[in-house]
Amino acid sequence: MTNKSLQALRVYIVFIAFTFYVGSIQAQSSSPKKPSQTTSKKSEVMKTVKVEVKGMSCQEGCANGLDATFKKVPGVITSKTSFDNSLSEITFDPSIITEKEIVAVIQKRGFEAKLLNSPKK
């Protein structure tokens, strides 16, 4: 094979790999992450908990990063973390994830976590 054919083959392989990569990302983003439920049923199973989060040094990387992590956690509906008051408010489906598992997610990110209230519907 000539250098031009090898170069063309390499470009083709990179193109195919990139195409598969983009396709897998699109498939992941279009697939539903949470089981579909009616609105009334969602309100029955969702709970919200407030967690004190210690060890954050900024809003951008720490608090927003924690919220980005929770977007990937099955069972977590919403998460709002504030660096200013060291709080994270998480709405979740207790049939999928527990309070202990939520605390473990925060601790795995390197922060201290303490539940401030029991979940409410």
Side-chain angles (χ1 to χ4, degrees):
M1 279 189 155
T2 66
N3 279 342
K4 284 187 177 183
S5 353
L6 283 174
Q7 186 176 4
L9 181 61
R10 287 183 187 134
V11 169
Y12 179 72
I13 291 170
V14 169
F15 174 76
I16 295 298
F18 179 75
T19 303
F20 279 112
Y21 174 74
V22 169
S24 69
I25 289 175
Q26 289 174 343
Q28 288 175 354
S29 66
S30 66
S31 63
K33 295 181 180 175
K34 296 171 183 69
S36 61
Q37 299 170 327
T38 62
T39 305
S40 62
K41 192 168 186 174
K42 269 189 179 180
S43 63
E44 292 174 16
V45 297
M46 289 187 343
K47 293 187 179 182
T48 301
V49 67
K50 287 186 182 181
V51 182
E52 180 180 29
V53 182
K54 290 186 179 181
M56 293 189 291
S57 60
C58 65
Q59 179 68 39
E60 193 66 29
C62 296
N64 293 350
L66 191 55
D67 288 336
T69 297
F70 275 121
K71 285 183 181 180
K72 300 174 187 174
V73 176
V76 174
I77 312 299
T78 62
S79 160
K80 185 172 181 180
T81 305
S82 170
F83 164 72
D84 292 334
N85 58 14
S86 300
L87 287 177
S88 187
E89 186 172 292
I90 300 127
T91 302
F92 64 101
D93 181 342
S95 68
I96 299 173
I97 188 168
T98 66
E99 294 172 48
K100 282 185 175 184
E101 291 169 325
I102 289 171
V103 168
V105 168
I106 296 169
Q107 291 171 338
K108 189 172 182 180
R109 287 283 309 215
F111 306 113
E112 293 178 41
K114 177 184 173 189
L115 290 170
L116 295 181
N117 63 350
S118 59
K120 52 186 171 183
K121 289 185 180 180

